[in-house]
Amino acid sequence: MELKDLRWQGYARADGRKGIRNKVLVIYTVECASFVAGEIVRRAADSEVELIGFRGCTDNEYAVRMLIAMIRHPNVGAVLAVGLGCEYVQPEWLADIAKKEGKPADWMFIQNEGGTVQAIEKGLAAVRDMKRQLENTPRVEMGMQNLVIGAECGGSDYTSGLAGNVVVGRFFDKLVDAGGTAIFEEIVEAVGLIDLLEKRGATEQAKREIRATYDKALDYCKSVRQYSVSPGNFAGGLSTIEEKSMGAVVKSGTRPIQGVLKVSGRAPRAGLWLLDSTPDPHWMQFGITNPNDNEGLMDLISCGSHIVFLVTGRGNVVGSAVAPCVKITGNSATYKRMEGDMDFNAGLVLEGACSQDELALRLAQMVADTAAGKMTKSEALGHKEYFIPYKYQEKDVVLPCQQ
């Protein structure tokens, strides 16, 4: 099997991109509107009607860019924005952006609708109307060259660097060779590996971006006096941050790194990209770089990932909003214990049951099946977690000469 032979039907978007899902996205713009927005989604009782939101009442450019990126995401077909009425992020702005993207959209303030009951009823009517409109979304053929796939790891153990992340790296090589786009993150889990990463920069500019991103992440870890290694990692057989870093970076594969993306940035061309999610130097003490796995998944999705991989040796149960989450483990015992939640067992290679290349092709087939509409375990269970914190980042990578 070759990746170029894998084809399926997707959804055409006005900006030229193609989606693998056709979701109605209900967005709340402040915590005070989260209950109403959540009830609209719950009562719609449709797996393709999803909820995300920002809890804060005051301005945060990172969060606003994140919401806009989700509205523009190719997996999103329509948007309903729900606000209370006195927060900074205005739902009308978000609905207008969706309309300019050629997507059905509506918005409301709960205060203007008369309260909870009336707002839920209006929201449900809007969602049902959007679902009817989305029935006419044009279908279009897709292949691996149309896909953006993001990867992160969480709950790592000794098998993550031997099998779980390795199979993702092998798949990423094949995806890039097929003309697709791969994004890996967690630069704070690359401690000690700057020479390896910098050498893989596709251009001198890419090398400078990688170096600047690494140096910033290392400064961040020093400033908060914490590195990205946990008691669970130690219990899983890892001993140092350097050992964990080797396992984390191997998920990037071996292809040249085209450059660095910031959160909500879109890759300007196909290939392999590093995502920087660390707060910028002026705000090092504000906004933990990866407060939880779902924040990292949302960062990847904000960059246009159609599907996200979560590699976890010890196991995880979460899913993600907007883009399907494929959970991969290199630990066969974890897979057997949590088979209802885990999608892919990379531990087979440690048992001698198959080669890494064979496993990468199996993962490619799962990606194609997911892109064609097959639900991941988390989708089937209804796991649609998301997390958008306060954080501060410039839009572009700040190189040393620019500081």
Side-chain angles (χ1 to χ4, degrees):
M1 180 189 73
E2 295 187 18
L3 267 64
K4 66 180 181 181
D5 298 324
L6 296 170
R7 315 296 295 178
W8 59 89
Q9 292 292 302
Y11 299 91
R13 301 300 177 205
D15 65 358
R17 290 190 291 174
K18 302 173 182 180
I20 65 167
R21 297 290 187 269
N22 204 22
K23 298 181 181 295
V24 174
L25 192 60
V26 179
I27 302 174
Y28 61 88
T29 57
V30 67
E31 173 63 17
C32 306
S34 64
F35 177 84
V36 167
E39 279 297 290
I40 292 168
V41 172
R42 187 183 69 81
R43 296 186 195 185
D46 188 313
S47 63
E48 288 291 79
V49 178
E50 290 192 356
L51 176 73
I52 67 167
F54 177 53
R55 296 178 181 276
C57 191
T58 55
D59 183 22
N60 183 245
E61 188 179 1
Y62 162 91
V64 172
R65 289 203 305 265
M66 174 79 76
L67 294 177
I68 293 171
M70 295 299 167
I71 288 168
R72 291 173 171 162
H73 196 284
N75 288 354
V76 172
V79 173
L80 171 64
V82 182
L84 176 63
C86 45
E87 63 273 27
Y88 180 87
V89 181
Q90 297 286 290
E92 186 176 8
W93 302 346
L94 302 181
D96 285 346
I97 290 169
K99 290 174 183 176
K100 290 176 182 177
E101 294 291 316
K103 300 179 180 184
D106 202 351
W107 69 278
M108 63 176 163
F109 280 133
I110 298 169
Q111 292 170 345
N112 293 347
E113 300 305 322
T116 298
V117 174
Q118 297 91 328
I120 292 172
E121 289 175 353
K122 179 177 179 177
L124 277 171
V127 165
R128 290 172 184 140
D129 181 60
M130 291 175 189
K131 286 292 293 183
R132 285 192 292 269
Q133 293 183 64
L134 291 183
E135 292 174 2
N136 299 317
T137 305
R139 303 304 299 270
V140 61
E141 187 177 73
M142 291 183 69
M144 287 290 172
Q145 76 277 11
N146 304 120
L147 283 182
V148 181
I149 307 290
E152 73 161 75
C153 44
S156 300
D157 70 0
Y158 77 97
T159 69
S160 296
L162 296 175
N165 286 328
V166 177
V167 71
V168 171
R170 294 290 181 96
F171 168 76
F172 269 5
D173 284 352
K174 294 179 184 296
L175 176 66
V176 169
D177 291 347
T181 302
I183 306 173
F184 73 104
E185 65 144 356
E186 297 166 312
I187 187 65
V188 294
E189 293 181 12
V191 173
L193 304 183
I194 181 55
D195 291 341
L196 295 176
L197 287 172
E198 194 171 18
K199 287 177 182 177
R200 289 174 58 194
T203 64
E204 289 305 313
Q205 173 70 12
K207 294 178 191 292
R208 289 193 294 270
E209 290 179 0
I210 292 167
R211 167 65 71 172
T213 301
Y214 176 88
D215 288 345
K216 184 187 73 166
L218 191 59
D219 287 344
Y220 169 82
C221 290
K222 292 176 181 177
S223 74
V224 298
R225 299 181 297 280
Q226 182 174 333
Y227 292 84
S228 186
V229 64
S230 69
N233 298 144
F234 298 140
L238 297 175
S239 61
T240 62
I241 181 58
E242 290 84 0
E243 188 177 33
K244 184 180 181 183
S245 294
M246 290 294 290
V249 170
V250 76
K251 69 175 175 286
S252 67
T254 63
R255 298 302 182 258
I257 300 170
Q258 298 301 311
V260 175
L261 301 175
K262 286 298 191 82
V263 175
S264 301
R266 190 185 304 180
R269 58 187 178 276
L272 176 68
W273 295 83
L274 169 63
L275 172 61
D276 171 22
S277 62
T278 311
D280 282 338
H282 298 97
W283 302 287
M284 278 291 186
Q285 296 290 340
F286 195 100
I288 296 173
T289 180
N290 288 108
N292 56 56
D293 288 336
N294 278 104
E295 191 269 348
L297 292 175
M298 291 293 280
D299 288 344
L300 291 165
I301 295 167
S302 75
C303 294
S305 296
H306 294 88
I307 294 170
V308 286
F309 295 153
L310 177 56
V311 186
T312 171
R314 293 174 60 78
N316 203 325
V317 301
V318 302
S320 57
V322 178
C325 177
V326 174
K327 292 195 290 297
I328 300 166
T329 184
N331 192 320
S332 292
T334 297
Y335 183 83
K336 291 172 184 175
R337 186 176 66 253
M338 301 182 67
E339 191 168 354
D341 291 281
M342 305 305 300
D343 294 283
F344 192 84
N345 181 17
L348 295 174
V349 72
L350 300 180
E351 300 170 9
C354 62
S355 69
Q356 289 286 5
D357 282 333
E358 289 171 332
L359 209 58
L361 290 175
R362 293 185 192 182
L363 181 57
Q365 185 63 63
M366 176 172 284
V367 166
D369 291 342
T370 301
K374 183 177 179 181
M375 285 188 174
T376 63
K377 296 286 181 65
S378 59
E379 284 184 294
L381 288 168
H383 278 285
K384 302 285 181 72
E385 289 89 346
Y386 60 92
F387 186 70
I388 302 177
Y390 275 106
K391 191 187 284 190
Y392 290 90
Q393 258 197 349
E394 301 292 343
K395 294 181 180 179
D396 301 310
V397 178
V398 180
L399 298 174
C401 62
Q402 297 174 284
Q403 291 179 343

